[in-house]
């Protein structure tokens, strides 16, 4: 996984956590759900890129 991809995925995770926290503070269930979705997307990106890294290592 490139450093840029990791930074983007981590940024998406932080964005999601902030949005979820805002939803908790304001009581807005839509913000909470969107924040959780962004965190899930980030985790999926990390997992996919980790698999790519392992595949590259196996081929070397």
């Amino acid at each position: 996984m490139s450093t840029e991809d990791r930074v983007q995925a981590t940024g998406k995770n932080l964005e999601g956590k902030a949005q979820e926290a805002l939803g908790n503070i304001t009581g807005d269930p839509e913000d909470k759900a969107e924040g959780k979705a962004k965190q899930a997307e980030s985790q999926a990106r990390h997992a996919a890129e980790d698999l790519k890294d392992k595949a590259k290592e196996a081929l070397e």
Side-chain angles (χ1 to χ4, degrees):
M1 179 177 201
S2 75
T3 303
E4 183 179 332
D5 290 338
R6 283 200 186 274
V7 169
Q8 287 178 349
T10 301
K12 181 66 85 171
N13 188 42
L14 292 173
E15 181 183 338
K17 286 183 182 212
Q19 188 169 7
E20 182 182 6
L22 178 65
N24 285 331
I25 291 169
T26 62
D28 185 350
E30 188 174 313
D31 269 340
K32 287 169 45 175
E34 286 178 15
K36 286 183 180 184
K38 288 179 183 179
Q39 291 174 64
E41 177 186 345
S42 171
Q43 290 173 345
R45 287 169 127 182
H46 276 290
E49 292 300 326
D50 288 344
L51 286 173
K52 287 180 188 177
D53 289 345
K54 287 181 183 181
K56 285 180 186 177
E57 288 174 13
L59 294 174
E60 292 177 347

